């Protein structure tokens, strides 16, 4: 039974899992977006978000700790120079997982994991969307265009004839 075990082992030994997550984190930092399985993406999010959080404060100590996870000088420099500037005012949630469907070879669920502040399509202003049209157009037309009333022809006023007294 796996009561309280919160680590997804991904069918790998500890050394293999740590090496894989380190490589995936390096690729994510360098390329800003990678495609993988949903299970690996969820495991990678848990692995990489504390690393990105460390990069907010650029000290020698933090650089050494991050290097012990990533094992790549280029990735560490990219993280502390560019990524940390974009996430400086964000309190958390640095990655986004988008499910893309299934892989045809083995039917596993695929996903794209990306750094949130680097997706230009999601950052566009979405408030300029057109009003959604519904099928209930008769009620809208009746409300929108008031009925034009035909001018009422007034009955000619009866001429007053003097009363005979």
């Amino acid at each position: 039974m796996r009561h309280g075990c919160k680590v997804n082992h991904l069918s790998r030994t500890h050394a293999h899992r740590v090496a894989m997550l380190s490589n995936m984190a390096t690729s994510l930092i360098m390329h800003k977006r990678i495609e993988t399985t949903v299970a690996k993406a969820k495991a990678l999010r848990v692995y990489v978000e504390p690393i990105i959080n460390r990069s907010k404060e650029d000290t020698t100590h933090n650089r050494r700790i991050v290097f012990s996870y990533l094992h790549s000088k280029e990735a560490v420099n990219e993280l502390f120079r560019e990524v940390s500037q974009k996430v400086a005012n964000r309190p958390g949630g640095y990655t986004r997982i988008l499910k893309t469907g299934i892989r045809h070879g083995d039917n596993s669920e695929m996903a794209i994991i990306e750094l949130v502040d680097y997706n230009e399509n999601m950052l566009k202003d979405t408030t300029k969307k057109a009003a959604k049209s519904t099928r209930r157009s008769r009620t809208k037309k009746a409300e929108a265009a008031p009925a034009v009333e035909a001018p009422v022809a007034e009955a000619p006023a009866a001429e007053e004839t003097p009363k005979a007294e």
Side-chain angles (χ1 to χ4, degrees):
M1 289 187 279
R2 50 179 306 271
H3 296 298
C5 298
K6 295 180 180 161
V7 175
N8 187 353
H9 295 288
L10 301 172
S11 299
R12 286 163 172 79
T13 62
H14 179 265
H16 185 186
R17 188 171 57 251
V18 168
M20 182 193 65
L21 289 173
S22 173
N23 290 334
M24 289 176 68
T26 300
S27 296
L28 179 65
I29 290 167
M30 296 302 289
H31 300 291
K32 313 302 187 263
R33 164 190 289 196
I34 58 173
E35 185 176 4
T36 183
T37 62
V38 173
K40 287 180 189 174
K42 288 179 179 180
L44 180 61
R45 177 173 37 190
V46 172
Y47 185 84
V48 80
E49 292 218 358
I51 294 172
I52 295 173
N53 199 22
R54 276 233 183 243
S55 73
K56 288 184 178 183
E57 186 181 349
D58 190 3
T59 62
T60 305
H61 180 65
N62 284 344
R63 280 183 176 264
R64 286 179 177 168
I65 289 176
V66 168
F67 183 76
S68 72
Y69 285 102
L70 298 181
H71 306 294
S72 170
K73 287 183 183 178
E74 293 83 18
V76 172
N77 288 334
E78 177 85 13
L79 179 65
F80 278 90
R81 286 187 186 148
E82 294 182 18
V83 176
S84 66
Q85 301 301 320
K86 285 214 174 193
V87 300
N89 56 358
R90 182 178 287 275
Y94 310 113
T95 57
R96 175 185 298 127
I97 296 175
L98 303 169
K99 294 183 181 178
T100 58
I102 59 169
R103 184 164 51 198
H104 293 294
D106 59 356
N107 206 31
S108 61
E109 294 183 43
M110 298 300 289
I112 292 174
I113 183 168
E114 63 185 7
L115 297 177
V116 171
D117 294 321
Y118 283 92
N119 189 343
E120 290 82 21
N121 294 332
M122 293 275 198
L123 294 176
K124 287 182 182 175
D125 192 11
T126 58
T127 58
K128 297 180 182 178
K129 287 185 179 177
K132 188 176 179 182
S133 175
T134 60
R135 303 204 94 195
R136 292 179 241 137
S137 60
R138 280 184 269 160
T139 57
K140 282 189 176 183
K141 286 181 183 174
E143 293 172 5
V148 178
E149 295 179 15
V152 178
E154 296 181 15
E159 293 182 22
E160 287 192 27
T161 55
K163 293 184 181 180
E165 291 185 33

